Amino acid sequence: MGSLTEANLRALAGARSYERALGYLDAVSGVEVGDGWVTASVHGTERYEVELTLDGPGGLAGTCDCPYGLEGNFCKHLVALGLSMLAQRESLPRQRKAARERAQDLDRWLSALSKDELLALLREQIDEDRQVRRRLELRAASVRGDLATLRSGIRDLFDVSSFAQYGYVEYADARAYADQAGQAVSSIRALTGSGRAADAITLAREAMRLLAEAVESVDDSDGRLGRIGAGLAAAHLDACRAARPEPEELARWLAGHALGDLDDGLTDIDPLDYEDVLGEEGMAALRKLAVEAWRGNRRGWAQKYLMERLAKAGGDVDALIAVHAADLAPNGHTHLVIARELDTAQRPGEALRWAERGIRDTQDLAAVDTALVDHLCDRYTQADRLTDALTVRRDHFRARRTLLTYQQLRAAAQAADCWPAEREAALALLRADAERRQQGWYGGPVLIDALLDDKDADAAWQAATHTGAHDRQWVTLADQVRADRPADALGVYLRLAEPLLKQTGNTVYEELVALLLSIRDCHRRLGTPDEFTAYVTALRTAQKRKRNLMRLMNEHGL
């Protein structure tokens, strides 16, 4: 039990999940302690099944079938079970010992039974448990090579009718359905293991089709059917490696699956995983099919993706570029993708031309992929083409006047040793924007942010006074001028504090206290501490019902 500690639970789950788990301690039920593991049910939005592994290779671990847990996270339900076990830590070693002894007793008893006694016991379980009977029937059919029985059994496994109400399997029943459908994977694997890999290929493909049909009628919010799909894909690949099907036929099936005729989005089959099965002949057929499909629909996502995968795998850069070039995005993103591929292929001249073309082809530079602009400017800078980099940054700034594009223009102009002139032209544009958008500009004029970023507080103050500014900008302005102009800063802080006095909430209180600290500093610089004392006293009297605010002010000595 050494790995089961509060510290380890918090480390695995994170502070948020750990704290939320404290409200679920009474929701833990049905605890079963084994030798090295603990299982239970935890009632949250639904009832979830959780299992803690106490002595795994990596220490404490766990699984839960809640949506968050199914993504591989150590969830609050696992923490709740762990904390419940810690509450009875003194008895846990005894419970684990008892579980170990029970397992040993069971094993000794089973080992002592005769063949007839074991068969009688197994038949009893088969009569009582439909799932056990179905699994064993399919296993027997796999060993016999009874394809008809297997096909019928797998069809039954994917049948939703016994779980569906009004033709649809709701979330509460989806797990039971997935548990049933998942038996198809083990049956197909068993068929391969018994030397019938060719039949396993056939049944795996049929099962994929049945799964694709079933998913339309199942609430698969937890992704269980996706895991079944992945299992079927793995079983299909294993069967193909064992049976070595005809390469061209396999290539046709893989192409059809990848191009959407058969792809259900659940199996995630990658044709390149079959390269060792396909061989040169099959890969050539697959490439031919991919090219034909792409030529028939150059903008189809599936066609493009398959062509890209095959071109990359074959190291065919020109084919890869042709795929991208056939469907160029209007914002230059595809040009950037091509440029990066050419850079990787050590073809920098072509890469640069594609990046330049991306800028030229973009009709609206305000909407251009900014990563393309950065890429091109980086290449110009590396080649000591500073004027060209500046031109691109200037054009981009003029089309998209933000603080970031201003900062990038400044960096390029400073590198080219011409920032003063560029700055005047850029600020003139921002001033014009501020004049036009004086009313209701969300976030405030970019002009103010640019001047503040230039550390030109006086110009920023003057511009804010003339055009107006966002409260966020006024706080930054006041902070920058407070040392030299405390009276001006004080006026800003007092104005911004006033509306907060009418609001509630811890976030509001934190913002208000920050302003009060700034107000106190202004009075200190002005030599008027008594005025601040009177202000705070009046504020406390008016706001005394806001206990969290009073506590926060006390913490800061206000």
Side-chain angles (χ1 to χ4, degrees):
M1 180 174 159
S3 62
L4 180 57
T5 64
E6 291 186 20
N8 283 345
L9 290 171
R10 184 184 291 273
L12 287 168
R16 184 167 181 267
S17 287
Y18 183 90
E19 295 299 328
R20 294 180 68 188
L22 299 178
Y24 283 80
L25 299 182
D26 293 334
V28 179
S29 65
V31 177
E32 181 179 354
V33 179
D35 185 21
W37 52 265
V38 183
T39 63
S41 297
V42 180
H43 294 264
T45 308
E46 303 285 344
R47 190 184 75 174
Y48 300 116
E49 302 301 321
V50 298
E51 178 174 340
L52 278 175
T53 303
L54 305 178
D55 303 319
L60 183 65
T63 59
C64 177
D65 62 358
C66 73
Y68 188 61
L70 288 172
E71 294 175 358
N73 299 298
F74 200 93
C75 65
K76 61 189 177 186
H77 308 113
L78 285 164
V79 176
L81 175 57
L83 292 175
S84 296
M85 299 316 301
L86 285 173
Q88 48 182 300
R89 70 184 74 198
E90 294 182 359
S91 65
L92 188 56
R94 184 171 66 255
Q95 294 181 67
R96 291 184 61 176
K97 180 182 178 183
R100 187 161 52 250
E101 291 174 349
R102 288 195 302 272
Q104 292 170 350
D105 289 344
L106 178 61
D107 186 65
R108 281 193 294 267
W109 176 66
L110 289 172
S111 299
L113 294 177
S114 67
K115 176 183 176 181
D116 289 340
E117 289 172 326
L118 283 172
L119 285 173
L121 180 63
L122 185 55
R123 290 186 181 108
E124 180 183 332
Q125 292 299 310
I126 290 173
D127 289 339
E128 294 178 356
D129 192 325
R130 179 186 177 191
Q131 296 293 344
V132 170
R133 176 176 57 78
R134 176 175 278 165
R135 282 197 295 270
L136 292 177
E137 286 174 346
L138 289 173
R139 184 67 60 88
S142 297
V143 173
R144 295 195 312 272
D146 185 348
L147 197 62
T149 299
L150 275 173
R151 178 176 282 115
S152 176
I154 288 175
R155 190 180 301 114
D156 289 342
L157 289 176
F158 286 104
D159 184 5
V160 302
S161 59
S162 59
F163 297 90
Q165 295 184 10
Y166 309 108
Y168 189 77
V169 181
E170 301 291 345
Y171 178 82
D173 299 311
R175 178 180 179 181
Y177 172 76
D179 289 342
Q180 173 181 293
Q183 296 173 29
V185 179
S186 56
S187 300
I188 292 168
R189 287 191 177 280
L191 194 60
T192 299
S194 64
R196 304 292 297 271
D199 290 336
I201 293 173
T202 300
L203 289 182
R205 295 179 183 179
E206 290 182 12
M208 291 179 197
R209 177 180 55 78
L210 291 169
L211 180 64
E213 293 172 357
V215 75
E216 301 296 327
S217 304
V218 181
D219 182 347
D220 191 37
S221 302
D222 291 341
R224 291 188 176 91
L225 299 190
R227 287 190 289 280
I228 294 172
L232 289 173
H236 180 265
L237 178 57
D238 289 342
C240 287
R241 284 174 173 160
R244 296 286 165 174
E246 198 279 319
E248 288 195 17
E249 184 280 329
L250 178 59
R252 284 193 296 274
W253 186 86
L254 289 170
H257 194 92
L259 295 172
D261 294 340
L262 304 171
D263 189 7
D264 46 49
L266 295 170
T267 55
D268 197 26
I269 286 179
D270 185 348
L272 293 179
D273 289 340
Y274 292 76
E275 189 169 1
D276 59 323
V277 182
L278 289 165
E280 292 185 7
E281 179 185 353
M283 288 299 294
L286 183 60
R287 290 191 183 94
K288 181 180 178 181
L289 290 166
V291 170
E292 290 174 355
W294 174 68
R295 287 175 176 168
N297 184 8
R298 293 175 186 260
R299 294 191 174 186
W301 182 90
Q303 289 79 359
K304 288 170 56 180
Y305 181 72
L306 181 58
M307 277 291 293
E308 287 175 32
R309 295 280 293 127
L310 292 172
K312 283 187 176 183
D316 191 342
V317 178
D318 290 321
L320 184 59
I321 290 170
V323 173
H324 291 307
D327 187 21
L328 295 171
N331 68 344
H333 173 73
T334 320
H335 300 75
L336 174 62
V337 172
I338 292 173
R340 286 173 171 167
E341 292 289 353
L342 288 166
D343 272 334
T344 301
Q346 303 296 313
R347 293 158 64 174
E350 294 173 77
L352 181 61
R353 286 193 289 275
W354 268 102
E356 292 172 329
R357 176 181 165 183
I359 297 296
R360 291 195 305 270
D361 289 354
T362 302
Q363 296 180 354
D364 181 7
L365 273 180
V368 72
D369 186 342
T370 56
L372 173 62
V373 176
D374 294 340
H375 177 90
L376 182 57
C377 289
D378 286 344
R379 295 300 181 273
Y380 280 152
T381 301
Q382 291 170 11
D384 202 29
R385 295 172 58 179
L386 302 182
T387 301
D388 290 331
L390 175 59
T391 299
V392 174
R393 291 297 188 193
R394 181 191 301 125
D395 292 343
H396 192 214
F397 168 76
R398 288 177 177 175
R400 189 176 184 178
R401 293 188 284 280
T402 66
L403 176 61
L404 176 60
T405 58
Y406 180 83
Q407 292 168 330
Q408 292 169 331
L409 173 62
R410 180 178 62 201
Q414 287 174 339
D417 198 25
C418 59
W419 175 230
E422 287 291 337
R423 180 175 187 261
E424 285 305 313
L427 291 177
L429 289 174
L430 294 180
R431 286 192 185 95
D433 287 343
E435 292 287 349
R436 282 195 300 270
R437 306 184 185 182
Q438 186 169 355
Q439 300 298 322
W441 191 343
Y442 179 79
V446 176
L447 173 65
I448 310 300
D449 290 329
L451 291 169
L452 286 170
D453 199 63
D454 283 340
K455 301 298 186 291
D456 193 347
D458 289 339
W461 187 279
Q462 182 179 357
T465 303
H466 178 66
T467 66
H470 190 273
D471 288 349
R472 168 189 59 82
Q473 294 173 320
W474 275 117
V475 170
T476 305
L477 275 167
D479 290 345
Q480 288 197 12
V481 306
R482 187 167 70 205
D484 299 322
R485 297 159 57 182
D488 289 338
L490 177 61
V492 172
Y493 295 136
L494 289 171
R495 177 179 62 80
L496 295 177
E498 189 62 29
L500 297 180
L501 297 174
K502 301 174 184 178
Q503 302 175 39
T504 59
N506 290 336
T507 301
V508 171
Y509 299 154
E510 290 171 2
E511 186 178 350
L512 177 58
V513 167
L515 289 172
L516 291 175
L517 292 171
S518 297
I519 291 170
R520 181 173 66 183
D521 185 58
C522 288
H523 278 295
R524 181 183 61 78
R525 294 176 185 277
L526 291 167
T528 56
D530 291 343
E531 290 186 22
F532 178 72
T533 300
Y535 175 79
V536 170
T537 300
L539 185 150
R540 279 183 166 275
T541 300
Q543 306 289 323
K544 61 184 179 182
R545 294 180 179 272
K546 300 176 180 176
R547 286 181 290 182
N548 283 353
L549 173 60
M550 296 298 104
R551 176 185 54 77
L552 200 59
M553 290 177 65
N554 290 338
E555 290 176 0
H556 288 83
L558 293 168

CSV table of all heavy atoms in Angstrom, one decimal, residues 287 291 294-295 307-324 341-342 345 347:
chain,number,residue,atom,x,y,z
A,287,ARG,N,-0.7,2.8,-55.1
A,287,ARG,CA,-0.4,4.1,-55.6
A,287,ARG,C,-1.2,4.4,-56.8
A,287,ARG,O,-1.6,5.5,-57.0
A,287,ARG,CB,1.1,4.2,-55.9
A,287,ARG,CG,2.0,4.2,-54.6
A,287,ARG,CD,3.5,4.5,-54.9
A,287,ARG,NE,4.3,4.4,-53.8
A,287,ARG,CZ,5.0,3.3,-53.4
A,287,ARG,NH1,5.0,2.3,-54.2
A,287,ARG,NH2,5.7,3.3,-52.3
A,291,VAL,N,-3.7,7.6,-57.2
A,291,VAL,CA,-3.5,8.6,-58.2
A,291,VAL,C,-4.8,8.8,-59.0
A,291,VAL,O,-5.3,9.9,-59.3
A,291,VAL,CB,-2.3,8.3,-59.1
A,291,VAL,CG1,-2.3,9.2,-60.3
A,291,VAL,CG2,-1.0,8.4,-58.3
A,294,TRP,N,-7.4,10.5,-56.9
A,294,TRP,CA,-7.1,11.9,-56.7
A,294,TRP,C,-7.3,12.7,-58.0
A,294,TRP,O,-7.8,13.9,-58.0
A,294,TRP,CB,-5.6,12.0,-56.3
A,294,TRP,CG,-5.1,13.5,-56.2
A,294,TRP,CD1,-5.5,14.4,-55.3
A,294,TRP,CD2,-4.2,14.1,-57.1
A,294,TRP,NE1,-4.9,15.6,-55.5
A,294,TRP,CE2,-4.1,15.4,-56.6
A,294,TRP,CE3,-3.4,13.7,-58.1
A,294,TRP,CZ2,-3.2,16.3,-57.2
A,294,TRP,CZ3,-2.6,14.6,-58.7
A,294,TRP,CH2,-2.5,15.9,-58.3
A,295,ARG,N,-7.0,12.2,-59.1
A,295,ARG,CA,-7.2,12.9,-60.4
A,295,ARG,C,-8.7,13.1,-60.7
A,295,ARG,O,-9.1,14.1,-61.3
A,295,ARG,CB,-6.6,12.1,-61.6
A,295,ARG,CG,-5.0,12.2,-61.6
A,295,ARG,CD,-4.4,11.4,-62.7
A,295,ARG,NE,-3.0,11.6,-62.7
A,295,ARG,CZ,-2.2,10.8,-63.4
A,295,ARG,NH1,-2.7,9.8,-64.1
A,295,ARG,NH2,-0.9,11.0,-63.5
A,307,MET,N,-3.0,10.3,-51.0
A,307,MET,CA,-1.9,10.7,-51.9
A,307,MET,C,-0.7,11.3,-51.1
A,307,MET,O,0.4,10.9,-51.3
A,307,MET,CB,-2.4,11.7,-52.9
A,307,MET,CG,-3.1,11.1,-54.1
A,307,MET,SD,-1.9,10.1,-55.2
A,307,MET,CE,-0.9,11.5,-55.8
A,308,GLU,N,-1.0,12.1,-50.1
A,308,GLU,CA,0.1,12.7,-49.3
A,308,GLU,C,0.8,11.6,-48.5
A,308,GLU,O,2.0,11.6,-48.5
A,308,GLU,CB,-0.5,13.7,-48.3
A,308,GLU,CG,-1.0,15.0,-48.9
A,308,GLU,CD,-1.7,15.9,-47.8
A,308,GLU,OE1,-1.3,15.8,-46.7
A,308,GLU,OE2,-2.6,16.6,-48.2
A,309,ARG,N,0.1,10.7,-47.9
A,309,ARG,CA,0.7,9.6,-47.1
A,309,ARG,C,1.6,8.8,-48.0
A,309,ARG,O,2.7,8.5,-47.7
A,309,ARG,CB,-0.4,8.7,-46.5
A,309,ARG,CG,-1.2,9.4,-45.5
A,309,ARG,CD,-0.5,9.5,-44.1
A,309,ARG,NE,-0.3,8.2,-43.5
A,309,ARG,CZ,0.8,7.7,-43.1
A,309,ARG,NH1,1.9,8.5,-43.2
A,309,ARG,NH2,0.9,6.5,-42.6
A,310,LEU,N,1.1,8.4,-49.2
A,310,LEU,CA,1.9,7.6,-50.1
A,310,LEU,C,3.1,8.3,-50.7
A,310,LEU,O,4.2,7.7,-50.8
A,310,LEU,CB,1.0,7.0,-51.2
A,310,LEU,CG,-0.1,6.0,-50.8
A,310,LEU,CD1,-1.0,5.7,-52.0
A,310,LEU,CD2,0.6,4.8,-50.3
A,311,ALA,N,2.9,9.6,-51.0
A,311,ALA,CA,4.0,10.4,-51.5
A,311,ALA,C,5.1,10.6,-50.5
A,311,ALA,O,6.3,10.4,-50.8
A,311,ALA,CB,3.5,11.7,-52.0
A,312,LYS,N,4.7,10.8,-49.2
A,312,LYS,CA,5.7,11.0,-48.2
A,312,LYS,C,6.4,9.7,-47.9
A,312,LYS,O,7.7,9.7,-47.7
A,312,LYS,CB,5.0,11.5,-46.9
A,312,LYS,CG,4.7,13.0,-46.9
A,312,LYS,CD,4.2,13.4,-45.5
A,312,LYS,CE,4.0,14.9,-45.5
A,312,LYS,NZ,3.5,15.4,-44.2
A,313,ALA,N,5.7,8.6,-47.9
A,313,ALA,CA,6.3,7.3,-47.6
A,313,ALA,C,7.3,6.9,-48.7
A,313,ALA,O,8.3,6.3,-48.4
A,313,ALA,CB,5.2,6.2,-47.5
A,314,GLY,N,7.0,7.3,-49.9
A,314,GLY,CA,7.9,7.0,-51.1
A,314,GLY,C,8.9,8.1,-51.3
A,314,GLY,O,9.8,7.9,-52.2
A,315,GLY,N,8.9,9.1,-50.5
A,315,GLY,CA,9.9,10.2,-50.7
A,315,GLY,C,9.7,11.0,-52.0
A,315,GLY,O,10.7,11.6,-52.5
A,316,ASP,N,8.5,11.0,-52.5
A,316,ASP,CA,8.3,11.7,-53.8
A,316,ASP,C,7.8,13.1,-53.5
A,316,ASP,O,6.6,13.4,-53.4
A,316,ASP,CB,7.2,10.9,-54.6
A,316,ASP,CG,7.1,11.4,-56.0
A,316,ASP,OD1,7.5,12.5,-56.3
A,316,ASP,OD2,6.5,10.7,-56.8
A,317,VAL,N,8.7,14.0,-53.3
A,317,VAL,CA,8.4,15.4,-53.0
A,317,VAL,C,7.6,16.1,-54.1
A,317,VAL,O,6.6,16.8,-53.8
A,317,VAL,CB,9.7,16.2,-52.7
A,317,VAL,CG1,9.3,17.7,-52.4
A,317,VAL,CG2,10.5,15.6,-51.6
A,318,ASP,N,7.9,15.8,-55.3
A,318,ASP,CA,7.2,16.5,-56.4
A,318,ASP,C,5.7,16.1,-56.5
A,318,ASP,O,4.8,16.9,-56.7
A,318,ASP,CB,7.9,16.2,-57.8
A,318,ASP,CG,9.2,16.8,-57.9
A,318,ASP,OD1,9.3,18.0,-57.4
A,318,ASP,OD2,10.1,16.2,-58.4
A,319,ALA,N,5.4,14.8,-56.2
A,319,ALA,CA,4.1,14.3,-56.1
A,319,ALA,C,3.3,15.0,-55.0
A,319,ALA,O,2.2,15.4,-55.1
A,319,ALA,CB,4.0,12.8,-56.0
A,320,LEU,N,4.0,15.1,-53.9
A,320,LEU,CA,3.4,15.7,-52.7
A,320,LEU,C,3.1,17.2,-53.0
A,320,LEU,O,2.0,17.6,-52.6
A,320,LEU,CB,4.4,15.6,-51.5
A,320,LEU,CG,3.9,16.1,-50.2
A,320,LEU,CD1,2.7,15.4,-49.7
A,320,LEU,CD2,5.0,16.0,-49.1
A,321,ILE,N,4.0,17.9,-53.6
A,321,ILE,CA,3.7,19.3,-54.0
A,321,ILE,C,2.6,19.4,-55.0
A,321,ILE,O,1.7,20.3,-54.9
A,321,ILE,CB,5.0,19.9,-54.5
A,321,ILE,CG1,6.0,20.1,-53.4
A,321,ILE,CG2,4.7,21.3,-55.1
A,321,ILE,CD1,7.4,20.4,-53.8
A,322,ALA,N,2.5,18.5,-55.9
A,322,ALA,CA,1.4,18.5,-56.9
A,322,ALA,C,0.1,18.4,-56.2
A,322,ALA,O,-0.9,19.0,-56.6
A,322,ALA,CB,1.6,17.4,-57.9
A,323,VAL,N,0.0,17.5,-55.2
A,323,VAL,CA,-1.3,17.3,-54.4
A,323,VAL,C,-1.7,18.6,-53.7
A,323,VAL,O,-2.8,19.1,-53.8
A,323,VAL,CB,-1.1,16.2,-53.4
A,323,VAL,CG1,-2.4,16.1,-52.5
A,323,VAL,CG2,-0.9,14.9,-54.1
A,324,HIS,N,-0.7,19.3,-53.1
A,324,HIS,CA,-1.0,20.5,-52.4
A,324,HIS,C,-1.4,21.6,-53.4
A,324,HIS,O,-2.3,22.4,-53.1
A,324,HIS,CB,0.2,20.9,-51.5
A,324,HIS,CG,0.4,20.1,-50.3
A,324,HIS,ND1,-0.5,19.8,-49.4
A,324,HIS,CD2,1.6,19.4,-49.9
A,324,HIS,CE1,0.0,19.0,-48.5
A,324,HIS,NE2,1.2,18.8,-48.7
A,341,GLU,N,7.9,21.8,-47.0
A,341,GLU,CA,8.3,20.5,-47.6
A,341,GLU,C,9.5,20.7,-48.4
A,341,GLU,O,10.4,19.8,-48.4
A,341,GLU,CB,7.1,20.0,-48.4
A,341,GLU,CG,5.9,19.5,-47.6
A,341,GLU,CD,6.1,18.3,-46.8
A,341,GLU,OE1,7.1,17.7,-46.9
A,341,GLU,OE2,5.2,18.0,-46.0
A,342,LEU,N,9.6,21.7,-49.2
A,342,LEU,CA,10.8,22.0,-50.1
A,342,LEU,C,12.0,22.3,-49.3
A,342,LEU,O,13.1,21.9,-49.6
A,342,LEU,CB,10.4,23.1,-51.1
A,342,LEU,CG,9.5,22.7,-52.2
A,342,LEU,CD1,9.0,23.9,-52.9
A,342,LEU,CD2,10.1,21.7,-53.2
A,345,ALA,N,13.3,19.1,-48.0
A,345,ALA,CA,13.9,18.4,-49.1
A,345,ALA,C,15.2,19.1,-49.6
A,345,ALA,O,15.8,18.7,-50.7
A,345,ALA,CB,13.0,18.2,-50.3
A,347,ARG,N,15.6,22.1,-50.9
A,347,ARG,CA,15.4,22.9,-52.1
A,347,ARG,C,14.9,24.3,-51.8
A,347,ARG,O,13.8,24.7,-52.0
A,347,ARG,CB,14.4,22.2,-53.0
A,347,ARG,CG,14.9,20.8,-53.5
A,347,ARG,CD,13.8,19.8,-53.9
A,347,ARG,NE,13.0,20.3,-55.0
A,347,ARG,CZ,12.0,19.5,-55.6
A,347,ARG,NH1,11.8,18.3,-55.2
A,347,ARG,NH2,11.3,20.0,-56.6
